[in-house]
Amino acid sequence: MTELDPVIHAQARLKVVASLSALGDGDRIAFPRLQELLAMTAGNLSVHLRKLEEAGYVEISKTHRGRTPATLVRLSRRGRLAFEEYTETIRKLLDPTSSKEQS
């Protein structure tokens, strides 16, 4: 049986990755907007984003909008693939007969 990716499997990181996967490929979201969507504190979100970034699952860029600093987040290709594999593993765990029928 395939193991669930421990980086994604943590509840908060799963919420982050699922939210970012809803964006178009290459689209980015501002840190405060992601924080608002997930109802997480800035510190908690930062910790989980750092862990996802270390795994290569998210890309974080710091820029400016006018004179205001902005942090933008997006799911990397590697992160998108990892999330697809994660969701496929969940599907197989929930319905093991479906993977046998597809083989």
Side-chain angles (χ1 to χ4, degrees):
M1 178 181 296
T2 306
E3 293 293 318
L4 292 170
D5 185 329
V7 175
I8 295 176
H9 193 63
Q11 182 179 356
R13 289 192 295 273
L14 178 57
K15 288 170 47 175
V16 170
V17 174
S19 297
L20 293 175
S21 74
L23 298 174
D25 197 23
D27 287 346
R28 303 179 298 174
I29 187 169
F31 181 92
R33 178 67 181 132
L34 184 60
Q35 180 186 354
E36 178 185 341
L37 284 172
L38 299 174
M40 295 173 75
T41 65
N44 193 18
L45 180 55
S46 292
V47 166
H48 290 292
L49 284 175
R50 189 173 309 117
K51 182 85 169 177
L52 290 165
E53 186 179 34
E54 288 170 358
Y57 292 175
V58 299
E59 295 172 356
I60 299 171
S61 56
K62 297 190 182 271
T63 186
H64 285 82
R65 290 186 176 162
R67 294 178 179 237
T68 307
T71 300
L72 303 173
V73 183
R74 75 181 195 113
L75 196 58
S76 69
R77 288 182 191 213
R78 181 177 178 180
R80 197 167 293 275
L81 178 60
F83 185 63
E84 289 169 5
E85 290 173 358
Y86 180 88
T87 55
E88 182 60 30
T89 301
I90 291 288
R91 283 188 193 97
K92 287 177 183 175
L93 286 170
L94 294 174
D95 187 7
T97 59
S98 68
S99 63
K100 290 178 185 173
E101 291 172 6
Q102 293 174 359
S103 299

